[in-house]
Amino acid sequence: MSSASDSPMRAAVEFKTRRKYWGLVRELAAADFKLKYQGSVFGYLWSLMKPLAIFGVLYLVFSVFVRIGSDIPNYPVYLLLGIVLWNYFAESTVNGMRAIVDKGDLIRKVYFPRIMILLASSLSALITLVLNLLIVAVFLLFAHTDQSWQSFGFLFLILELYLLSVGISLFLGALFVRFRDFAYIWEVALQLLFYASAIIYPLSLVPERFQKLLVLSPITQIVQDARWLLVSKQTTTGFAILAHWALIPYLIPPLLAITGYIYFERAASMFAEDV
């Protein structure tokens, strides 16, 4: 019978074993990023053109026609930042959900920790996010927004967004292997979340009694905090609304990542049979 001291040793051995697969994660992520634009004329430029095209349409509608953004300081960069963060969240979770099924042939032929496939998918989406944030940086430069040392807090928001996306992807990736209906369920959920997350409109337009409920969503909190840090202090943050509930949206991403990992690992043994 093994002693309690064996558990840390087993964990250390498992960590060392898995560490050697990080090279595989990098290779899969690079391959996913290249294949995404293979055969297209503009190639990698699509990763920049897509959010700019969406931004152009939404800015025209909500700033010129509906005039929602007329009272928001630096509304163009305010809107673009929200779209870029949202696009990463949507792309990362959709690709993560399909990652295991799309690599079914590889899973049946070679053994390696299945979570590496999903991490590679999330890393590929993260590369696109970094490229898109360079465009946001150009907009911020021309908008002459006031930046301070607080802007470095944006890096923590990116980490929070990454954990949120990976945590959801772990659940979706494992569920999608058995139930393909989740592709349609998540598509509808993303549409609802987009309009409920104050991406294209200021949170101040929402009745006050619903604002606290919306900011409980981590994606809403991340977008609001990012705008507060980089664009304008006049935008509402989660802390300003939630008061003593302020930590809830910040705790959800790491909790999702941990529970998602546990669920994914338990389901992983059946992937080769179901994909």
Side-chain angles (χ1 to χ4, degrees):
M1 186 174 181
S2 60
S3 63
S5 61
D6 291 338
S7 297
M9 292 180 63
R10 285 197 300 268
V13 171
E14 184 176 353
F15 175 78
K16 290 180 179 179
T17 302
R18 296 201 168 200
R19 189 173 58 179
K20 69 181 182 181
Y21 289 108
W22 285 111
L24 175 62
V25 171
R26 292 194 298 270
E27 292 296 325
L28 287 174
D32 285 346
F33 187 75
K34 292 176 182 178
L35 288 173
K36 184 163 54 175
Y37 303 107
Q38 188 177 30
S40 65
V41 175
F42 293 104
Y44 301 137
L45 286 177
W46 278 116
S47 63
L48 306 178
M49 293 167 62
K50 180 180 176 181
L52 286 175
I54 297 173
F55 157 76
V57 172
L58 293 179
Y59 179 76
L60 183 66
V61 172
F62 290 97
S63 184
V64 178
F65 298 150
V66 183
R67 301 189 67 82
I68 286 179
S70 57
D71 297 329
I72 302 176
N74 300 310
Y75 182 67
V77 67
Y78 176 97
L79 177 61
L80 181 61
L81 178 59
I83 290 172
V84 165
L85 295 177
W86 172 263
N87 278 354
Y88 165 73
F89 173 73
E91 179 186 355
S92 180
T93 53
V94 169
N95 291 349
M97 175 177 62
R98 296 181 174 275
I100 300 299
V101 173
D102 289 346
K103 294 291 191 300
D105 290 340
L106 182 62
I107 288 175
R108 287 189 290 269
K109 294 176 182 177
V110 183
Y111 173 77
F112 56 90
R114 305 321 188 194
I115 196 171
M116 299 301 172
I117 294 178
L118 196 139
L119 292 178
S121 175
S122 68
L123 186 58
S124 176
L126 192 62
I127 295 172
T128 302
L129 174 62
V130 171
L131 293 175
N132 290 336
L133 287 176
L134 294 177
I135 301 298
V136 174
V138 174
F139 271 69
L140 286 169
L141 183 64
F142 281 98
H144 301 291
T145 55
D146 295 329
Q147 304 297 320
S148 67
W149 63 269
Q150 292 177 328
S151 300
F152 289 103
F154 182 68
L155 298 176
F156 292 97
L157 293 179
I158 294 300
L159 175 60
E160 182 188 358
L161 180 59
Y162 181 78
L163 289 176
L164 175 66
S165 302
V166 169
I168 292 174
S169 298
L170 287 167
F171 280 108
L172 290 175
L175 289 168
F176 185 67
V177 170
R178 296 192 62 189
F179 309 104
R180 305 302 163 88
D181 306 77
F182 273 91
Y184 308 103
I185 294 172
W186 188 239
E187 181 181 358
V188 174
L190 283 174
Q191 289 290 329
L192 296 175
L193 276 173
F194 178 76
Y195 291 106
S197 299
I199 305 296
I200 56 180
Y201 58 86
L203 205 58
S204 58
L205 289 181
V206 179
E208 188 173 349
R209 63 182 182 276
F210 296 120
Q211 288 182 13
K212 293 182 179 180
L213 181 62
L214 290 184
V215 182
L216 284 174
S217 164
I219 188 64
T220 306
Q221 166 263 308
I222 290 169
V223 171
Q224 295 301 310
D225 284 358
R227 287 166 168 170
W228 187 86
L229 287 170
L230 300 180
V231 183
S232 172
K233 297 295 187 287
Q234 296 181 33
T235 57
T236 306
T237 67
F239 262 97
I241 290 180
L242 286 172
H244 59 286
W245 287 4
L247 289 178
I248 292 178
Y250 298 91
L251 293 176
I252 290 175
L255 288 176
L256 273 176
I258 293 170
T259 56
Y261 171 78
I262 295 172
Y263 178 77
F264 185 91
E265 287 296 291
R266 290 179 177 177
S269 59
M270 304 297 294
F271 287 167
E273 299 177 10
D274 294 330
V275 295

